[in-house]
Amino acid sequence: MDLSAIVADIAAEMADAPDRGRPADYIPPLAAVDPNRFGMAVIEADGTCHLAGDAEESFSIQSVSKVFALTLALGAVGDQLWKRVGREPSGSAFNSIVQLESEHGIPRNPFINAGAIVVADILLGRYEPREALGELLRFVRAAAGEDGIFIDENVAKAEQDTGFRNLALASYMRAFGNLHHDPHVTLGVYFHQCALAMSCRQLALAGRYLAAGGVNPTTGRNVVSAQRARRINALMLTCGHYDGSGEFAFRVGLPGKSGVGGGILAIAPGIASIAVWSPGLNERGNSQLGTVALERLVQRTGWSVFEPR
Amino acid sequence: MDLSAIVADIAAEMADAPDRGRPADYIPPLAAVDPNRFGMAVIEADGTCHLAGDAEESFSIQSVSKVFALTLALGAVGDQLWKRVGREPSGSAFNSIVQLESEHGIPRNPFINAGAIVVADILLGRYEPREALGELLRFVRAAAGEDGIFIDENVAKAEQDTGFRNLALASYMRAFGNLHHDPHVTLGVYFHQCALAMSCRQLALAGRYLAAGGVNPTTGRNVVSAQRARRINALMLTCGHYDGSGEFAFRVGLPGKSGVGGGILAIAPGIASIAVWSPGLNERGNSQLGTVALERLVQRTGWSVFEPR
Amino acid sequence: MDLSAIVADIAAEMADAPDRGRPADYIPPLAAVDPNRFGMAVIEADGTCHLAGDAEESFSIQSVSKVFALTLALGAVGDQLWKRVGREPSGSAFNSIVQLESEHGIPRNPFINAGAIVVADILLGRYEPREALGELLRFVRAAAGEDGIFIDENVAKAEQDTGFRNLALASYMRAFGNLHHDPHVTLGVYFHQCALAMSCRQLALAGRYLAAGGVNPTTGRNVVSAQRARRINALMLTCGHYDGSGEFAFRVGLPGKSGVGGGILAIAPGIASIAVWSPGLNERGNSQLGTVALERLVQRTGWSVFEPR
Amino acid sequence: MDLSAIVADIAAEMADAPDRGRPADYIPPLAAVDPNRFGMAVIEADGTCHLAGDAEESFSIQSVSKVFALTLALGAVGDQLWKRVGREPSGSAFNSIVQLESEHGIPRNPFINAGAIVVADILLGRYEPREALGELLRFVRAAAGEDGIFIDENVAKAEQDTGFRNLALASYMRAFGNLHHDPHVTLGVYFHQCALAMSCRQLALAGRYLAAGGVNPTTGRNVVSAQRARRINALMLTCGHYDGSGEFAFRVGLPGKSGVGGGILAIAPGIASIAVWSPGLNERGNSQLGTVALERLVQRTGWSVFEPR
């Protein structure tokens, strides 16, 4: 069966799936999203693009943005970044503050909230707040080769109004000296970054450099080195799904990063960049149908990184 | 450069490495091992075998045995096993008892001590203690196609005399009902399993089924299904190096399982089964030079699972 | 109203109390106790004794025994004891193992299980196991001035059969070097100590030295120094009711030690030694009606240590 | 020896004490205090006042203020307060955020920082911020019968500039819904409350109601009921010295509340209200010499609540 048919079949199966999880409801803009949406975009190494369902509809990518912010921050400060953020799975809920206490304000990895807040703070060591968001937007647009990507101010505003747990994390790391700017300023950048709105198609396009050894296929230029691309993929595999990362590796077997908006970016190195979106979340806070869709895609294509080559 | 030369070069580099880590010293038989030893065995998919250094010398494989015990237990009870053991990285020291308390006696994964003790207990649901060890030995010998693999009674005895932390873990899980046999009996199996003595060559031979989609290349028969082989590899990648699993994935990018005896089994799916051994450990309890050797091997061969295909 | 009438009234009120808590059911001999029992004994400084309800019936004093074992161990090794046990409230469930991990095997105080196990282990540094229990029995009998106090072998046996959580605690402390004997041997002493069977009258008699500045009123001899008696009372007030110690101090305001058998020994320094018993426990594991009875006694007598003198 | 001589002797002994602890240095106004200061004030039930050393010098009472804020808040909302704050010792460092996570934003007691922040938030349910501080000042001045008590704006400002750990605690509790006002507003009240400047004499005067069954001896009016006074004393005994509360009860045996400025208020119910001050802190964050002075006072007077009456 060819890939287009596989993608279409999966989307059709997902349309009828009874158990769709529960959309995030901690801010109104996310709670308002129709739980019946499902989109999928698969972009092969040669640029062939397979879309299905709501693949062209924008959604809030939320934590998927942490992949792009990390790439940008690594470009800005290099491996110095790892002095302030770890590289180990967290082994607990994505918003846990406990580990910060026992590990003196160093978050376990750049994909839990605390780690991503430090990454935002690192960007602020190089850019003014507004400039940092401009750089991030420019980065994502260039990676996707699309200008129609924007930050949803409504979402950012809603996060800022309710984000007391993130304020606690940021203040706590500031108390340990691992935040260098005012927590509110750093969180301003962080909340706007998470409010990036993209479609599955745009997200899969933006992720191509991770599937292509660090190279943007449109421009042929290195976004990051091949080694750094491999390493970001490794982090996505071990830490990309909060405390469900082991489960995702077990079932799907691809580097992936999920967001609370229901999106997942998954990478099949050398083969494809994949984005799925369905707002309902499973008990670990990852897209319920997005995970199922990726599991089926990998079963039918053999793209797992653990598949014999 | 051909693979034999690469392997030989790495072994030569390791022979001179100044920073060799510290061998485990909690039991005399491990403390007595010469820290200058280094061995490496790479067995390609076609059976070609590359050996270097002390690749023929037996050492205590310790926690590497957890891969084989897990395979055997999955064969015995199937996916029922996952009701008693999780599949997530632990996010803390390999012998931590804290997570057991908050997670009601269910260990996070089968590769931390608590999880491996439950796996041993599961085998005891099927076999008498002595029989369970016989099965394990038979399994490993068949996987390796070698009879010269044995259990070092001295090591097992020494573990039993000092293994109070493991007794605490086992008793604690028994209190939660997640151990079905007397802790001392289950630990008897566990300590003997960890006392398996193998050479790098034997270990790499025994790991071939994980590189070959579950098939034992010698017999052509499935040891496990292809899906299960992928999944064991996924667990090795996310959980195989205790609280250094993220770091190992980041630097090496292969499924791997380390042991406190200084051995590591690493799998390049479809390409090779690799075993390294050097007794000195890094601060996470994984072989210092073994990790460096694998990192160099992957750099020179491009075998990382995160490398574009 | 005179004290005899107060005690009788309280016993009458407790006889009709609808909310009696739930008796411990983790071992059959405790589960079999009639939940409608209630006994109370108050022995004044001058020796006047007020009994009510089932004050003459023997019950399993369980953790109340920790007060006597601590007194005996302090007599044996003096303040050296505090190198192996802390003096702070635990701030978590009485059987928590977490704090042991972060505090390297030193239990927080001698009244949580871990601490009492270390106290038993300290006694074993001075006595053979059987001898230690003999000493304890002799101590309690002398303090009470009664020979009819015994150890209930059935209870001790039942504890030993199911005490895996205590085995975990003991093994864990052994791993940290804070247990000097085989965990099973130390637990043997500990389980027998907890199986002491006494009536309220006997228990109140045995506690008189704590109300009398360390002096046994029968013999006129110091059981402990006045300072040590004050300090044991301080520990009972801050740590005597597991994670309900603050609540007990808040409501009752007397040094007290509870046991899972439903007994409580409470001390009004200079005034009285008090024992209550009712098998039903509240959510913190302390006697539901025993606590209520003591609260009423203190309200009607003004015996709280926080009452202006 | 009469009490005046005892107090004078202790002050003389403290003047020469070599081990004075280390003053808090997290804000400049505290770091700038002369570590050689020592003051002591003992006010007997009949009003007799014994002063020694720097008993008339103002210092920052810091957490001692939590006793007065709690009294005020109990007056405002009664026992409803206990729905939002616990009554158990914390069992960990005074600023720990861990327990808040496992206990869903309910701090363990009103004397750890998190608990005192909730108490301030409760006052804000009744008063505007400026008004709340006015009420507190009025309360303390009335309790002491002195108008020369003020809030040190320099100290409050310094706390506000560096109090990120408290901001984390407040934000975290806000995320759990246990803070009803903007964290910055609540902390504004809290930081000003902690910046109360009082002398030992003033502090001992202000504490008299706790020694006198809730009655202000100057006015003869109840500040709180006798029961509530007993209960506040109970909380001071079990929770008043952070994770050194057990130790303080063990050594001193009086209800007491310490502050990071080096002050301690201690209550001998029915006998005396006592304040000591020496800026150097011990490893638990309580005044080193203040604790020693109280220990000696109690040894020489027999005022411990655990002393037979």
Side-chain angles (χ1 to χ4, degrees):
Chain A
M1 190 187 276
D2 79 351
L3 189 53
S4 272
I6 290 173
V7 171
D9 280 6
I10 291 172
E13 292 158 21
M14 294 305 106
D16 298 333
D19 179 9
R20 309 185 76 84
R22 277 182 47 141
D25 57 4
Y26 70 99
I27 52 169
L30 291 184
V33 178
D34 176 1
N36 291 311
R37 295 310 177 95
F38 177 86
M40 189 167 193
V42 179
I43 300 177
E44 294 186 86
D46 66 1
T48 315
C49 181
H50 310 272
L51 305 180
D54 305 306
E56 295 277 15
E57 185 165 339
S58 275
F59 60 90
S60 189
I61 72 166
Q62 293 290 324
S63 291
V64 184
S65 68
K66 293 170 182 173
V67 174
F68 305 125
L70 173 65
T71 306
L72 196 61
L74 282 169
V77 304
D79 287 332
Q80 299 287 323
L81 182 143
W82 303 116
K83 294 183 179 170
R84 293 176 57 190
V85 189
R87 301 192 285 230
E88 292 300 328
S90 62
S92 58
F94 68 97
N95 42 20
S96 169
I97 207 163
V98 173
Q99 218 132 22
L100 280 183
E101 174 146 320
S102 62
E103 300 183 353
H104 310 293
I106 306 293
R108 294 224 110 205
N109 66 65
F111 293 154
I112 52 172
N113 286 12
I117 291 168
V118 170
V119 168
D121 196 67
I122 287 170
L123 289 176
L124 286 177
R126 183 80 167 248
Y127 306 109
E128 291 301 303
R130 192 172 300 269
E131 199 187 350
L133 290 169
E135 280 299 313
L136 184 69
L137 212 44
R138 184 158 33 247
F139 176 87
V140 176
R141 286 171 175 168
E146 290 248 347
D147 282 346
I149 293 167
F150 63 99
I151 288 169
D152 185 331
E153 285 288 341
N154 266 346
V155 170
K157 178 71 171 49
E159 299 274 6
Q160 231 148 354
D161 288 350
T162 62
F164 290 106
R165 194 176 272 263
N166 284 315
L167 179 56
L169 291 171
S171 307
Y172 204 54
M173 293 190 291
R174 184 83 165 93
F176 279 110
N178 197 24
L179 212 73
H180 298 173
H181 302 86
D182 182 294
H184 293 282
V185 174
T186 302
L187 287 175
V189 171
Y190 174 71
F191 288 139
H192 279 81
Q193 158 199 319
C194 288
L196 268 170
M198 297 173 74
S199 68
C200 285
R201 190 178 58 77
Q202 290 168 335
L203 189 54
L205 283 167
R208 291 173 300 165
Y209 70 96
L210 291 171
V215 174
N216 180 331
T218 306
T219 64
R221 282 207 291 258
N222 269 299
V223 178
V224 290
S225 70
Q227 186 193 54
R228 194 160 278 164
R230 280 199 307 276
R231 290 178 161 188
I232 294 172
N233 279 322
L235 286 165
M236 290 170 76
L237 192 89
T238 54
C239 314
H241 280 70
Y242 309 122
D243 199 27
S245 299
E247 188 70 14
F248 188 83
F250 187 87
R251 287 171 54 191
V252 175
L254 292 180
K257 181 74 205 80
S258 73
V260 79
I264 303 175
L265 172 65
I267 303 299
I271 300 171
S273 171
I274 307 149
V276 287
W277 170 56
S278 176
L281 307 179
N282 62 23
E283 75 288 348
R284 303 285 182 143
N286 302 308
S287 177
Q288 167 79 11
L289 294 188
T291 306
V292 173
L294 287 168
E295 196 176 9
R296 294 190 183 180
L297 179 70
V298 164
Q299 277 166 355
R300 296 174 197 180
T301 58
W303 287 354
S304 161
V305 301
F306 303 113
E307 188 80 25
R309 304 186 180 198
Chain B
M1 190 187 277
D2 79 352
L3 188 52
S4 273
I6 290 173
V7 171
D9 281 5
I10 291 172
E13 291 158 21
M14 294 304 107
D16 298 333
D19 179 10
R20 310 185 76 85
R22 277 184 47 143
D25 56 5
Y26 70 98
I27 51 169
L30 291 183
V33 178
D34 175 0
N36 291 313
R37 294 309 177 96
F38 176 86
M40 188 168 196
V42 179
I43 300 178
E44 296 186 85
D46 66 1
T48 313
C49 182
H50 309 272
L51 305 180
D54 305 307
E56 296 276 16
E57 184 166 341
S58 274
F59 59 91
S60 188
I61 72 164
Q62 294 289 325
S63 291
V64 184
S65 68
K66 294 170 182 173
V67 174
F68 304 124
L70 173 66
T71 305
L72 195 61
L74 281 169
V77 302
D79 287 332
Q80 299 287 325
L81 181 143
W82 303 117
K83 294 182 179 169
R84 293 176 58 190
V85 189
R87 302 192 285 229
E88 292 300 328
S90 64
S92 57
F94 67 98
N95 41 20
S96 170
I97 206 162
V98 173
Q99 219 131 21
L100 280 183
E101 173 145 322
S102 62
E103 299 182 356
H104 309 294
I106 307 293
R108 295 225 108 203
N109 66 64
F111 293 153
I112 51 172
N113 286 11
I117 291 167
V118 170
V119 168
D121 195 67
I122 286 169
L123 289 176
L124 287 177
R126 183 81 167 247
Y127 306 109
E128 291 301 304
R130 192 172 301 270
E131 200 188 349
L133 290 168
E135 280 300 311
L136 184 68
L137 211 46
R138 184 159 31 247
F139 175 88
V140 177
R141 285 171 176 169
E146 291 245 348
D147 282 346
I149 294 168
F150 63 99
I151 288 170
D152 185 332
E153 284 290 340
N154 265 346
V155 169
K157 179 71 171 49
E159 299 274 7
Q160 231 148 351
D161 288 351
T162 63
F164 291 106
R165 192 175 274 263
N166 284 316
L167 178 56
L169 291 169
S171 307
Y172 205 54
M173 294 189 293
R174 185 81 166 97
F176 280 110
N178 197 24
L179 211 73
H180 298 172
H181 302 85
D182 182 294
H184 294 281
V185 174
T186 302
L187 288 176
V189 172
Y190 173 71
F191 289 139
H192 278 81
Q193 158 199 317
C194 288
L196 268 170
M198 297 172 75
S199 68
C200 284
R201 189 177 60 76
Q202 291 168 333
L203 188 54
L205 282 167
R208 289 172 303 162
Y209 71 96
L210 292 170
V215 174
N216 180 329
T218 305
T219 64
R221 282 207 291 258
N222 268 301
V223 178
V224 290
S225 71
Q227 187 193 55
R228 194 159 277 164
R230 281 199 305 276
R231 290 177 161 187
I232 294 172
N233 280 321
L235 285 165
M236 291 170 75
L237 194 88
T238 55
C239 314
H241 280 71
Y242 308 121
D243 199 26
S245 298
E247 187 71 14
F248 188 83
F250 187 87
R251 286 171 54 191
V252 175
L254 293 179
K257 182 72 204 82
S258 73
V260 79
I264 302 175
L265 172 65
I267 303 298
I271 301 171
S273 172
I274 307 148
V276 287
W277 170 54
S278 177
L281 307 179
N282 63 23
E283 75 286 350
R284 304 284 182 143
N286 301 308
S287 175
Q288 166 79 12
L289 293 189
T291 307
V292 173
L294 287 168
E295 195 176 10
R296 295 191 182 178
L297 178 71
V298 165
Q299 278 166 356
R300 297 175 196 179
T301 58
W303 287 355
S304 162
V305 299
F306 304 113
E307 188 81 24
R309 302 184 181 202
Chain C
M1 190 186 276
D2 80 351
L3 189 52
S4 273
I6 291 173
V7 171
D9 281 4
I10 290 172
E13 292 158 20
M14 295 303 106
D16 297 335
D19 180 9
R20 310 185 75 85
R22 279 183 45 143
D25 57 4
Y26 70 99
I27 53 170
L30 291 184
V33 178
D34 176 1
N36 291 311
R37 295 307 176 98
F38 175 86
M40 189 166 194
V42 178
I43 300 178
E44 295 186 85
D46 66 1
T48 315
C49 181
H50 310 272
L51 304 180
D54 305 307
E56 295 277 15
E57 186 165 338
S58 274
F59 60 90
S60 189
I61 72 164
Q62 293 290 324
S63 291
V64 184
S65 68
K66 294 170 182 174
V67 174
F68 305 123
L70 173 66
T71 305
L72 196 62
L74 282 169
V77 304
D79 287 332
Q80 299 287 324
L81 181 144
W82 304 116
K83 294 183 179 169
R84 293 175 58 189
V85 188
R87 301 192 284 229
E88 291 301 328
S90 64
S92 57
F94 69 97
N95 42 20
S96 169
I97 206 163
V98 173
Q99 218 132 21
L100 280 183
E101 173 145 323
S102 63
E103 300 183 354
H104 310 293
I106 307 293
R108 293 223 110 205
N109 66 65
F111 293 154
I112 51 172
N113 286 11
I117 292 167
V118 170
V119 168
D121 196 66
I122 287 170
L123 289 176
L124 286 176
R126 183 82 166 246
Y127 305 109
E128 290 302 304
R130 192 173 301 268
E131 198 187 351
L133 290 169
E135 281 299 313
L136 184 68
L137 211 45
R138 186 161 27 248
F139 175 87
V140 176
R141 286 171 175 169
E146 291 246 347
D147 282 346
I149 294 168
F150 63 99
I151 288 170
D152 185 331
E153 285 289 340
N154 266 346
V155 170
K157 178 70 173 49
E159 300 275 6
Q160 230 148 353
D161 288 351
T162 62
F164 291 107
R165 192 176 274 263
N166 284 315
L167 179 55
L169 291 170
S171 307
Y172 204 53
M173 293 189 292
R174 184 82 166 95
F176 279 110
N178 196 25
L179 212 73
H180 299 172
H181 303 85
D182 183 292
H184 294 282
V185 174
T186 302
L187 287 176
V189 172
Y190 174 72
F191 288 139
H192 278 81
Q193 159 199 320
C194 288
L196 267 171
M198 297 173 75
S199 67
C200 284
R201 189 178 58 79
Q202 291 168 334
L203 188 54
L205 282 168
R208 290 173 301 164
Y209 70 96
L210 292 170
V215 174
N216 181 329
T218 305
T219 64
R221 282 207 290 258
N222 270 301
V223 178
V224 290
S225 71
Q227 186 192 55
R228 194 160 278 164
R230 281 200 305 276
R231 290 178 162 187
I232 293 172
N233 280 321
L235 285 165
M236 290 170 76
L237 193 90
T238 55
C239 314
H241 280 71
Y242 308 122
D243 199 27
S245 299
E247 187 70 14
F248 188 82
F250 187 87
R251 286 172 54 192
V252 175
L254 292 180
K257 182 73 204 80
S258 74
V260 79
I264 302 176
L265 172 66
I267 303 298
I271 301 171
S273 172
I274 308 149
V276 287
W277 169 55
S278 177
L281 307 179
N282 62 23
E283 74 287 351
R284 304 285 181 141
N286 302 308
S287 176
Q288 167 79 12
L289 294 189
T291 306
V292 173
L294 287 168
E295 196 175 9
R296 295 189 183 180
L297 179 70
V298 165
Q299 278 165 357
R300 297 175 196 178
T301 57
W303 287 355
S304 161
V305 300
F306 304 113
E307 188 80 24
R309 304 186 178 197
Chain D
M1 191 186 276
D2 78 351
L3 188 53
S4 273
I6 291 173
V7 172
D9 280 5
I10 291 172
E13 291 158 21
M14 295 303 106
D16 298 334
D19 179 9
R20 310 185 75 85
R22 276 184 48 143
D25 56 4
Y26 70 99
I27 52 169
L30 291 184
V33 178
D34 176 0
N36 291 311
R37 293 310 175 99
F38 175 85
M40 188 168 195
V42 178
I43 300 179
E44 294 185 85
D46 66 1
T48 314
C49 181
H50 308 272
L51 305 180
D54 304 306
E56 295 276 15
E57 185 166 339
S58 275
F59 60 91
S60 189
I61 72 165
Q62 293 289 326
S63 292
V64 184
S65 68
K66 293 169 183 173
V67 174
F68 305 124
L70 172 65
T71 304
L72 195 62
L74 282 169
V77 303
D79 287 333
Q80 299 287 324
L81 182 143
W82 303 116
K83 294 184 179 168
R84 294 175 59 189
V85 189
R87 301 192 285 229
E88 291 300 328
S90 63
S92 57
F94 68 98
N95 40 22
S96 169
I97 208 162
V98 173
Q99 218 130 21
L100 280 183
E101 174 145 322
S102 63
E103 300 184 354
H104 310 293
I106 306 293
R108 294 224 108 203
N109 65 64
F111 294 153
I112 52 171
N113 286 12
I117 292 167
V118 170
V119 168
D121 196 66
I122 286 170
L123 289 176
L124 287 176
R126 182 82 168 248
Y127 306 110
E128 291 302 304
R130 192 171 300 268
E131 201 187 348
L133 290 168
E135 280 299 312
L136 184 69
L137 211 45
R138 185 158 31 247
F139 176 88
V140 177
R141 285 171 176 169
E146 290 245 348
D147 282 347
I149 294 169
F150 63 98
I151 288 170
D152 186 331
E153 284 289 342
N154 265 347
V155 169
K157 178 71 171 49
E159 299 275 6
Q160 231 148 352
D161 289 351
T162 61
F164 290 106
R165 191 175 274 261
N166 284 314
L167 179 55
L169 291 170
S171 307
Y172 204 54
M173 293 190 292
R174 184 82 166 97
F176 279 109
N178 197 23
L179 212 74
H180 298 172
H181 303 86
D182 182 293
H184 294 282
V185 173
T186 302
L187 287 175
V189 171
Y190 174 71
F191 288 139
H192 278 81
Q193 159 199 320
C194 289
L196 268 170
M198 296 172 76
S199 68
C200 284
R201 189 178 59 77
Q202 291 169 333
L203 188 54
L205 282 168
R208 288 172 304 163
Y209 71 97
L210 292 170
V215 174
N216 180 329
T218 305
T219 65
R221 282 206 291 257
N222 269 300
V223 178
V224 290
S225 71
Q227 186 192 57
R228 194 160 276 162
R230 280 200 306 275
R231 290 179 161 186
I232 294 173
N233 280 322
L235 286 165
M236 289 170 75
L237 193 88
T238 55
C239 314
H241 280 72
Y242 308 121
D243 200 27
S245 299
E247 186 71 13
F248 188 82
F250 187 88
R251 286 172 53 190
V252 176
L254 292 179
K257 181 73 205 82
S258 73
V260 79
I264 301 176
L265 172 65
I267 303 299
I271 301 171
S273 172
I274 307 150
V276 286
W277 169 55
S278 176
L281 307 178
N282 63 24
E283 75 287 349
R284 303 285 181 143
N286 301 308
S287 176
Q288 167 79 12
L289 293 189
T291 306
V292 173
L294 287 168
E295 196 175 10
R296 295 190 182 180
L297 179 70
V298 165
Q299 279 166 355
R300 297 175 196 179
T301 59
W303 287 354
S304 161
V305 300
F306 304 113
E307 188 81 22
R309 302 184 181 199

